[in-house]
Amino acid sequence: MSQKEGLRANSFQFTLEGEPFRILGGSIHYFRVPRAYWEDRLLKMRACGVNTLTTYVPWNLHEPERGVFNFQDQLDLKAYISLAAELGLWVILRPGPYICAEWDLGGLPSWLLRDKNMKLRTTYPGFTEAVNSFFDKLIPIIKPLQFKEGGPIIAVQVENEYGSYAKDEHYMPYIKEALLSRGTNELLLTSDNREGLKCGGVDGVLKTVNLQRLAYGTIQYLAYMQPQKPLLVMEYWSGWFDVWSESHHVFPAEDMLAVVSQILEPGVSINLYMFHGGTSFGFMNGAVANLGTYKPQVGSYDYDAPLSEAGDYTTKYQLLRNLFSQFHSEKLPEVPSLQARRVYEPVIIQQHLSLWESLQFTEKPLKSEEPVNMENLPVNSNNGQSYGYTLYETTISRGGLLNSKKNVKDRALVFVDRHFVGVLDYKSVEFALPDGKGERTLSLLVENCGRVNYGKALDDQRKGLVGDIVLNHVPLKDFTIYCLDMKPNFLKRLSAASQWNSVPQKPSFPGFFQGMLYVDGHPRDTFIRLPGWSKGVVFINGQNLGRHWSIGPQKTLYLPGPWLKSGNNQIIVFEEQKADDKLVFVENPDHGKTIDVYKYPFCVLL
């Protein structure tokens, strides 16, 4: 890529290398796509007529513990951007530090919340010190990949949708300077929805807008706010995300095409969010807290995007390719062939290990008079617990009314002497414990279902027990607390355990269930389905695929072929309440019953 002038926004039209340039962008997040498929997805993007890749950078994956950085393998950002350049794509980088993205805490590391006074996304010193440390590591990686250095990065976004947060007028200038002072020298831009445009910008930085429908004169409003500047829809929402217990959101292809055509017709640039959504593997999904109601997101990030979760072409893809081809003087590249899929034989569950037997494989439990939230547990080199489950145990000598005081974040299974007695969550905050003789063990298995990723509640995303639980109005004391974040080392210890037994007729719950998937020949993509199971987590060869939950809408989990190997593959299911004797595989995903995205109130709100 030649050494001329980079992306400029000095008139009504962008220029690149001194020539008029229209951004036809698409978002694909490297952290949501198995690395083995990066090239496949980017080639499909290129063949659709997209000329610019956009991606966020998730701070919480790159710095999982304070001062411990990971830019290797699946998180090799340099390799991803370099691959985009090899395939002929420009790049707009969105390094945060906050990214939203339907990602736990909007990409911010949970260890920030160990500070009880933390004020995220402000110039609070505890936050800016952490951002400075992260940018000191991140920016030198991306600096040589900028256009001026011969790389593909033509623009960098300053933070993300800050106009919808806007708690500190000094914060955006700080982030801008944090980028510039470390050698970011391409075009800077901000990204906001219509309402956020009023207070989300920063001097000397190009404003862009996020939308789905051309209502409320949003693009005209952007032009009014920023006259004689090129217009860019930084996030054109090609679909929408899903939350548990609701429907799968779809945005009809013809409706989408009509809006994209209208955006492009007067010369506006566009970025499709998402072009390919992929999967929020593991425990990384976010949550919404709309009008005070907490709703965790599902693991699939299919998004009803032009490329499906598994990289399949959709009607949207074909329509967009026809449209985008009109903006290219040369014929578009051939469309790559699809990855083959396999429907494997059902996996029979062969072994079982109860949750209670697994506790010996966790880190040393904490003894504490008061409950301690998961972020402040003395685990993971004193960085606290980020994800998964936390078990709180104490002794009770009588039954009565158990009340969470709304201090369960987010959902607790409650046991007396390891027998299930009820659930505490946002809707169910109290129930009666049965009477019994003598001292008994009360256990609360609390799940972090995903931290909120958007809105003003980010500072309030501590998980586990965040305050007192009361029995007959008296706070419970003297807890033993176990961290069950189910990280790879725990899975290794669990796999090697001698305590596994053949599955009893009535297995105890919660528990771990193990089976083997035998792959004959070259591994292929597939989808796992769990009929007859209730709620839990699926691991394949130690990799956390994500949550399953019978309430839907998501009914299948995407299992990428590159995560399998020829021969035996270990599958472990952590199941909370109900198990079948097998797992089954299907060729195509089942995202559940559908609803038009525009009938969903949160989308209209945005």
Side-chain angles (χ1 to χ4, degrees):
M1 294 181 177
S2 61
Q3 283 307 289
K4 296 181 183 176
E5 190 177 64
L7 189 68
R8 296 289 181 267
N10 297 327
S11 67
F12 290 107
Q13 196 171 27
F14 287 109
T15 59
L16 181 61
E17 302 179 301
E19 300 292 328
F21 181 71
R22 186 198 297 258
I23 296 166
L24 299 175
S27 292
I28 302 180
H29 300 152
Y30 57 100
F31 47 95
R32 281 185 159 122
V33 179
R35 180 169 179 168
Y37 285 155
W38 285 355
E39 183 169 2
D40 173 77
R41 306 306 194 251
L42 295 181
L43 283 170
K44 288 170 177 171
M45 171 184 268
R46 188 80 179 82
C48 193
V50 171
N51 59 26
T52 304
L53 165 70
T54 64
T55 185
Y56 284 130
V57 177
W59 181 7
N60 54 10
L61 289 188
H62 287 296
E63 193 179 0
E65 297 179 3
R66 189 185 288 270
V68 176
F69 298 96
N70 182 3
F71 287 90
Q72 304 298 314
D73 304 320
Q74 182 67 47
L75 296 174
D76 193 337
L77 178 60
K78 179 181 178 183
Y80 185 63
I81 294 172
S82 300
L83 177 61
E86 287 172 30
L87 301 179
L89 291 162
W90 301 107
V91 175
I92 296 176
L93 195 68
R94 312 174 81 189
Y98 163 82
I99 63 172
C100 185
E102 288 71 65
W103 196 253
D104 189 276
L105 203 59
L108 301 175
S110 66
W111 46 258
L112 290 167
L113 298 175
R114 289 174 66 81
D115 177 353
K116 68 180 188 303
N117 300 312
M118 177 56 65
K119 295 177 179 62
L120 300 172
R121 302 178 74 193
T122 69
T123 51
Y124 174 72
F127 185 69
T128 56
E129 287 164 14
V131 171
N132 289 338
S133 173
F134 176 53
F135 276 10
D136 283 345
K137 192 74 176 179
L138 172 66
I139 305 304
I141 291 171
I142 64 175
K143 187 172 181 286
L145 300 168
Q146 296 178 104
F147 181 90
K148 282 184 179 173
E149 307 282 340
I153 297 174
I154 56 174
V156 176
Q157 185 174 300
V158 181
E159 234 265 354
N160 188 59
E161 297 177 312
Y162 195 69
S164 301
Y165 198 72
K167 291 190 176 183
D168 183 343
E169 65 183 19
H170 303 293
Y171 175 67
M172 287 294 279
Y174 154 70
I175 294 293
K176 175 188 173 184
E177 181 56 30
L179 291 168
L180 292 175
S181 64
R182 289 167 175 80
T184 304
N185 52 25
E186 300 303 329
L187 179 72
L188 297 180
L189 47 85
T190 58
S191 169
D192 285 285
N193 62 25
R194 190 190 193 283
E195 284 303 302
L197 282 172
K198 296 173 186 173
C199 44
V202 60
D203 287 347
V205 175
L206 184 73
K207 292 182 174 72
T208 71
V209 74
N210 305 337
L211 57 84
Q212 186 164 65
R213 305 265 185 174
L214 288 175
Y216 317 116
T218 302
I219 293 178
Q220 293 86 338
Y221 183 57
L222 176 63
Y224 164 76
M225 290 194 72
Q226 194 169 244
Q228 297 183 312
K229 290 289 184 184
L231 300 171
L232 168 59
V233 177
M234 186 63 203
E235 290 187 15
Y236 176 70
W237 300 318
S238 63
W240 201 248
F241 59 85
D242 297 337
V243 297
W244 289 112
S245 84
E246 295 191 0
S247 299
H248 170 55
H249 295 101
V250 294
F251 185 27
E254 292 74 15
D255 292 1
M256 184 211 71
L257 188 76
V259 182
V260 173
S261 300
Q262 283 179 271
I263 290 170
L264 294 176
E265 196 269 329
V268 178
S269 286
I270 193 169
N271 175 61
L272 294 156
Y273 186 100
M274 298 292 298
F275 184 82
H276 167 56
T279 311
S280 302
F281 291 110
F283 294 131
M284 299 311 299
N285 62 274
V288 295
N290 185 28
L291 305 176
T293 304
Y294 172 85
K295 297 176 181 177
Q297 293 143 7
V298 305
S300 169
Y301 203 57
D302 178 84
Y303 210 82
D304 195 32
L307 271 187
S308 76
E309 180 179 14
D312 295 332
Y313 302 113
T314 67
T315 302
K316 286 181 181 176
Y317 182 96
Q318 306 299 347
L319 293 174
L320 284 169
R321 189 168 191 263
N322 291 338
L323 177 63
F324 287 172
S325 68
Q326 301 169 26
F327 298 91
H328 291 269
S329 55
E330 299 176 3
K331 187 180 177 185
L332 293 180
E334 289 295 314
V335 172
S337 58
L338 290 174
Q339 301 285 332
R341 289 213 277 270
R342 288 263 300 272
V343 178
Y344 297 103
E345 289 297 312
V347 166
I348 305 303
I349 299 300
Q350 297 163 326
Q351 292 185 299
H352 168 261
L353 183 69
S354 77
L355 169 73
W356 319 110
E357 292 170 307
S358 77
L359 296 179
Q360 61 190 295
F361 305 113
T362 66
E363 287 197 42
K364 184 182 177 184
L366 170 70
K367 305 276 190 182
S368 173
E369 184 180 359
E370 312 284 341
V372 178
N373 58 288
M374 63 165 57
E375 295 81 2
N376 285 95
L377 292 175
V379 296
N380 297 314
S381 306
N382 278 324
N383 285 275
Q385 180 180 348
S386 295
Y387 315 107
Y389 297 78
T390 309
L391 180 68
Y392 298 81
E393 292 196 326
T394 187
T395 301
I396 57 173
S397 55
R398 57 181 294 189
L401 194 64
L402 184 71
N403 190 301
S404 72
K405 309 291 284 184
K406 298 188 176 178
N407 286 324
V408 166
K409 308 290 182 185
D410 298 298
R411 184 174 182 271
L413 302 181
V414 184
F415 305 84
V416 173
D417 283 344
R418 299 183 170 175
H419 294 288
F420 175 72
V421 292
V423 173
L424 293 171
D425 58 21
Y426 291 94
K427 292 178 182 174
S428 172
V429 297
E430 68 177 20
F431 64 85
L433 289 183
D435 279 319
K437 293 180 181 177
E439 292 193 336
R440 295 175 296 163
T441 300
L442 177 72
S443 307
L444 294 96
L445 181 65
V446 186
E447 179 190 7
N448 165 11
C449 296
R451 294 184 183 85
V452 167
N453 58 270
Y454 178 85
K456 307 236 179 192
L458 295 181
D459 290 340
D460 304 321
Q461 295 307 303
R462 292 170 185 86
K463 299 296 185 179
L465 294 186
V466 299
D468 284 332
I469 304 295
V470 299
L471 179 60
N472 300 322
H473 309 289
V474 178
L476 293 168
K477 303 286 185 184
D478 298 321
F479 288 90
T480 302
I481 307 172
Y482 298 85
C483 165
L484 283 153
D485 48 12
M486 301 189 190
K487 289 163 79 169
N489 282 341
F490 170 77
L491 266 292
K492 276 183 189 171
R493 293 193 293 271
L494 199 69
S495 299
S498 59
Q499 286 83 354
W500 289 93
N501 292 305
S502 56
V503 184
Q505 194 154 12
K506 289 190 175 180
S508 70
F509 293 97
F512 295 89
F513 295 79
Q514 184 174 188
M516 284 292 174
L517 167 61
Y518 183 77
V519 174
D520 185 14
H522 188 68
R524 299 291 185 188
D525 287 5
T526 191
F527 287 88
I528 298 179
R529 194 176 180 109
L530 295 102
W533 298 72
S534 176
K535 183 180 186 302
V537 191
V538 180
F539 302 88
I540 179 80
N541 295 328
Q543 292 255 31
N544 188 336
L545 286 187
R547 296 175 172 91
H548 71 90
W549 197 354
S550 58
I551 64 171
Q554 180 180 342
K555 300 292 187 186
T556 51
L557 283 85
Y558 174 51
L559 172 49
W563 289 11
L564 296 169
K565 58 191 179 185
S566 297
N568 282 324
N569 295 266
Q570 181 197 55
I571 294 184
I572 292 178
V573 181
F574 174 69
E575 173 55 51
E576 295 181 11
Q577 290 190 291
K578 180 187 171 191
D580 193 41
D581 62 353
K582 62 183 178 299
L583 308 175
V584 297
F585 299 89
V586 292
E587 185 174 359
N588 295 307
D590 182 352
H591 298 298
K593 62 182 180 180
T594 62
I595 186 173
D596 188 314
V597 66
Y598 216 55
K599 294 175 183 171
Y600 184 57
F602 189 60
C603 309
V604 179
L605 189 69
L606 285 176

